[in-house]
Amino acid sequence: MNHATTHVQRSPGRLSRRGFLGLTAGVGAAGLLAACGSDPNTISIINTSATAAVALNQLLTDGKYFDKLGVKAKISNVSAGNQVLAAVASGSSDLTMTSGLIGILPGIEKGMRLKVVGGTQVVSTSALFTKDPQITSARDLGGKSLGVGAVGAELYAVFAALFAKYGIPKDGATFRNVGSSADSLKAALAGQVDCGYGQVGNQALATKQGARMIATVNEELPLWMNNAAVASTEAIAKKRSALVKVLAGYAQLFAYLGTPESKDPYVKAYVGAGGSAAEGEQEWQFINQNGCYSPTLDFPEKKAEFIQQQNVASGTQQKVLAYDSYTDLSVQAEALALIKK
């Protein structure tokens, strides 16, 4: 089989530039040497360990997408986005497909040798949850406690963008750093914060615990985009053919997710990744109806600019980068051409 998956758990935490460089030096010394002598037909992929991301791994295996294209892929899932960034920038991994774009763009601005090579999840599947009867919409978040991540993380940035949208003063609210989106959801369901962050599929779990979804991120912030395909420049240069084939495999999977036939396999994979059948069904329905994953690997420029604007607002980026400066969409074009052959 040409597709191997591992789950790697490492300690989470947000890295400064100095901390990141130290980490990449540590991971990277061995990683870069390994990359230099690695099989040019094998792509090392690293993603976060979100349930949906792990479910995609299983669907890739079951559909033999990479086997059919004659390419090998090794997929690892880790607990935090900064681990993904460190791995791809150091050369210990070649590519990420389902990790937070918002944390990767500041790294590119700082000079990390990475390029966006295509779009993946271009419509957010994230949502807001609460037990507070006074919160009926995002307009009601003023003065409330919110389960967020570190400044610059997706959780923090979404809430900050909502406050800006509705002109809500941030001073009166409590932005409580609880960790990941899974931690934010748990805090909201336990009543530890007034509003938390989760996925559309979490509605089933929320209902059981007396909570409810008040809005999807896509409804409130239609320009929000969670993920992208990001590769190291070294992988683009040395493993281009294999990289093209891997992107083609993902594009075929994304097209499949837009069909009714994908429902049962998706739910099964979602359950296998640790979710419930009810959550998997709701997640699939939203993905299917909203075209969350792009079968053409489209990477919308306006959405990318919006994400960068949030980074500038939080101080994690100094300026909005020119679209062509951090993208190499020739890889995407070759992947789509390969599918048409």
Side-chain angles (χ1 to χ4, degrees):
M1 183 177 291
N2 289 338
H3 172 207
T5 303
T6 58
H7 301 276
V8 182
Q9 295 296 327
R10 303 168 187 155
S11 59
R14 189 160 176 252
L15 295 177
S16 64
R17 175 176 169 80
R18 180 177 296 179
F20 173 82
L21 293 175
L23 178 57
T24 55
V27 206
L32 286 171
L33 289 173
C36 290
S38 62
D39 180 359
N41 196 47
T42 299
I43 296 296
S44 174
I45 304 169
I46 186 165
N47 296 317
T48 53
S49 53
T51 306
V54 178
L56 291 183
N57 296 349
Q58 189 60 51
L59 291 171
L60 286 165
T61 298
D62 293 344
K64 298 183 178 180
Y65 290 94
F66 298 146
D67 287 348
K68 292 173 183 177
L69 290 163
V71 67
K72 297 177 182 178
K74 296 179 179 178
I75 304 179
S76 296
N77 294 86
V78 294
S79 60
N82 60 43
Q83 297 164 1
V84 172
L85 178 62
V88 181
S90 72
S92 58
S93 294
D94 301 310
L95 173 72
T96 181
M97 294 294 292
T98 59
S99 297
L101 178 65
I102 196 166
I104 289 172
L105 291 168
I108 294 176
E109 184 186 45
K110 291 179 174 69
M112 296 171 191
R113 297 178 180 275
L114 308 171
K115 292 284 187 180
V116 174
V117 293
T120 56
Q121 191 189 91
V122 294
V123 174
S124 176
T125 58
S126 301
L128 307 181
F129 293 86
T130 187
K131 274 188 169 180
D132 188 336
Q134 295 181 341
I135 301 176
T136 60
S137 74
R139 295 176 182 271
D140 302 323
L141 296 178
K144 300 297 183 178
S145 60
L146 315 170
V148 302
V151 175
E154 178 183 326
L155 278 70
Y156 182 95
V158 166
F159 281 110
L162 289 171
F163 274 53
K165 174 182 176 180
Y166 291 116
I168 303 171
K170 286 170 47 176
D171 294 346
T174 301
F175 282 61
R176 185 173 300 164
N177 186 349
V178 295
S180 68
S181 59
D183 295 324
S184 179
L185 178 67
K186 288 177 183 177
L189 298 188
Q192 296 168 350
V193 295
D194 296 320
C195 186
Y197 194 81
Q199 299 298 308
V200 170
N202 296 138
Q203 291 176 79
L205 176 62
T207 299
K208 286 183 180 179
Q209 299 194 29
R212 66 194 187 285
M213 184 178 81
I214 58 168
T216 67
V217 171
N218 185 51
E219 289 170 341
E220 291 288 346
L221 302 171
L223 288 178
W224 192 271
M225 177 168 55
N226 289 74
N227 305 321
V230 180
S232 67
T233 55
E234 182 179 16
I236 296 171
K238 296 182 178 180
K239 296 185 174 183
R240 187 180 186 90
S241 177
L243 197 60
V244 166
K245 291 176 182 177
V246 164
L247 259 65
Y250 271 100
Q252 290 175 324
L253 172 60
F254 296 161
Y256 175 63
L257 290 176
T259 68
E261 292 77 17
S262 67
K263 180 179 179 179
D264 289 345
Y266 183 88
V267 173
K268 181 180 178 181
Y270 196 91
V271 171
S276 70
E279 289 175 314
E281 288 179 7
Q282 289 178 327
E283 193 87 2
W284 175 85
Q285 185 175 21
F286 189 85
I287 289 169
N288 182 268
Q289 291 179 349
N290 292 278
C292 296
Y293 293 98
S294 174
T296 58
L297 305 176
D298 183 39
F299 184 65
E301 185 172 357
K302 287 184 178 180
K303 290 193 172 190
E305 182 178 350
F306 179 76
I307 295 299
Q308 291 193 81
Q309 288 169 349
Q310 310 317 305
N311 283 339
V312 172
S314 70
T316 57
Q317 269 186 247
Q318 293 184 358
K319 63 180 181 179
V320 173
L321 304 175
Y323 186 75
D324 292 341
S325 71
Y326 63 89
T327 60
D328 182 352
L329 300 182
S330 63
V331 182
Q332 169 216 29
E334 289 179 32
L336 297 179
L338 177 63
I339 294 171
K340 292 178 181 178
K341 285 185 177 180

